[in-house]
Amino acid sequence: MARGQGPTVRRRRLASELRRLREAADLTIDEVGEKLECSASKVSRIETGHVGVTPRDARDMLALYGITGDEQEALVQLAREARKRGWWHAYNEVFTGTFVGLEADASSLRAFQALLVPGLLQTERYAFSVIRALRPDAEESETRRRVAARMARQQLLADDPPVEYWAVIDEAVLHRVVDSPEVMAEQLYRITAMAEKPNVTVQVVPFGAGAHPGMEGPFLIMGFPEQADPDVVYVDDSTSSGLYLEQPDDVRRYALMFDHLRAAALKPDDSVALITDAAGRFAEQAAVVQKPRNTDPRQ
């Protein structure tokens, strides 16, 4: 499936168009609800993309707005396509909200993480340890299911065409021991291998950079190939389903923050060298830990 053509983005595009057409018809949400004999809340949730719209509801709304003929049929067809299931529905107990659908349709992803390796770059063992720490009460089967879902997401980086991925991480990510030195060595070497891909760029903000805009918290900027689909900022929040920002001023603010982070970070080649050095140190620690002790009391 071409980027920008998935069901989540189509639903978002349809929602935006229905809102625009209602406003052009000079109708309020309450008036639409009254004329279509449905709640104003339903109309509002459709226009914000929080719920899908059936082809029949779309046709009724469009007729009310004076849209007929080919234009109406094109938008009704968009409603049909928006109801299709994406690959992530196989993990519907893991993925809530629209995040994974938007991510899957993005043509570019700009991510910042201050404490953890970004999910698209995590190894299976690192992801397991992180998810287990974030959800200590979860059953192991649930944790493994979430790990499997995270690994499935990583196909984005190998798709044809692949997403353009630019990750900036704080140097603290390289020093926080998740699980063990062995797991950390494996994880950091994985980042260096991924950074060799033409569509993946990784930068590290060193400790020496001091205070920086990313100290506010992790975020992801999702860009889309069609002009009709404006960028979305996802602000991660482990206590909820996350915050989505779509207003132009908010998106510009985070885009500027990301530009400042890139400027404060080491160049990509220097970043990979720093990550490689950290991986080597963890590998040495892992070798020492795994080296069998000499239990002969005579030595």
Side-chain angles (χ1 to χ4, degrees):
M1 183 179 293
R3 302 231 163 264
Q5 301 301 314
T8 304
V9 165
R10 287 181 182 273
R11 186 173 76 183
R12 181 176 177 236
R13 191 179 304 165
L14 178 61
S16 176
E17 189 65 7
L18 289 173
R19 181 172 62 253
R20 184 187 69 79
L21 291 171
R22 175 184 59 76
E23 292 172 347
D26 198 25
L27 290 169
T28 67
I29 288 177
D30 288 334
E31 289 171 337
V32 172
E34 181 179 348
K35 291 179 182 294
L36 297 183
E37 298 183 342
C38 67
S39 69
S41 174
K42 175 182 177 180
V43 178
S44 177
R45 289 173 63 80
I46 287 174
E47 289 190 359
T48 55
H50 286 105
V51 298
V53 56
T54 65
R56 180 175 179 177
D57 284 344
R59 193 182 301 277
D60 289 345
M61 295 173 78
L62 291 166
L64 180 61
Y65 304 156
I67 306 302
T68 60
D70 290 344
E71 184 178 2
Q72 183 188 92
E73 286 307 310
L75 290 170
V76 170
Q77 179 60 26
L78 190 61
R80 293 191 187 99
E81 294 169 352
R83 292 172 64 82
K84 294 179 179 179
R85 289 178 174 267
W87 66 264
W88 53 90
H89 283 279
Y91 298 95
N92 60 3
E93 79 281 16
V94 174
F95 295 127
T96 58
T98 60
F99 170 75
V100 71
L102 290 173
E103 181 188 63
D105 253 357
S107 56
S108 69
L109 298 170
R110 289 171 285 172
F112 172 74
Q113 273 286 356
L115 298 175
L116 301 171
V117 171
L120 292 182
L121 299 177
Q122 290 179 6
T123 64
E124 189 169 346
R125 291 199 292 175
Y126 184 98
F128 182 86
S129 184
V130 166
I131 293 172
R132 184 172 56 186
L134 291 175
R135 297 175 177 270
D137 297 333
E139 297 287 340
E140 182 167 333
S141 59
E142 178 188 343
T143 301
R144 294 199 177 281
R145 183 68 171 161
R146 290 183 177 276
V147 171
R150 184 163 297 182
M151 296 301 103
R153 280 176 53 209
Q154 296 181 358
Q155 181 61 34
L156 280 171
L157 301 181
D159 279 349
D160 186 17
V163 67
E164 292 293 327
Y165 186 61
W166 196 310
V168 177
I169 60 176
D170 193 279
E171 186 178 352
V173 175
L174 309 183
H175 300 284
R176 182 179 301 279
V177 181
V178 173
D179 191 280
S180 67
E182 179 186 0
V183 167
M184 287 302 299
E186 176 187 54
Q187 174 61 78
L188 297 184
Y189 281 132
R190 166 68 182 281
I191 295 175
T192 62
M194 294 301 295
E196 294 179 0
K197 291 180 175 290
N199 61 304
V200 177
T201 302
V202 179
Q203 286 184 270
V204 177
V205 180
F207 288 141
H212 57 73
M215 296 174 73
E216 185 175 317
F219 63 89
L220 174 69
I221 305 172
M222 295 177 274
F224 302 92
E226 299 293 334
Q227 189 173 0
D229 304 316
D231 291 359
V232 178
V233 177
Y234 175 76
V235 181
D236 198 4
D237 181 356
S238 62
T239 63
S240 68
S241 58
L243 177 66
Y244 297 89
L245 303 174
E246 301 182 62
Q247 293 300 315
D249 287 347
D250 292 326
V251 174
R252 278 194 295 270
R253 181 166 68 89
Y254 275 89
L256 182 61
M257 285 171 60
F258 193 79
D259 287 342
H260 279 295
L261 285 165
R262 288 192 299 185
L266 299 174
K267 294 179 180 179
D269 288 346
D270 294 334
S271 295
V272 170
L274 184 65
I275 297 169
T276 301
D277 288 345
R281 289 194 296 272
F282 279 122
E284 291 176 359
Q285 293 174 28
V288 170
V289 171
Q290 293 174 7
K291 183 178 180 181
R293 293 182 179 180
N294 190 335
T295 58
D296 188 340
R298 296 171 297 178
Q299 298 185 22

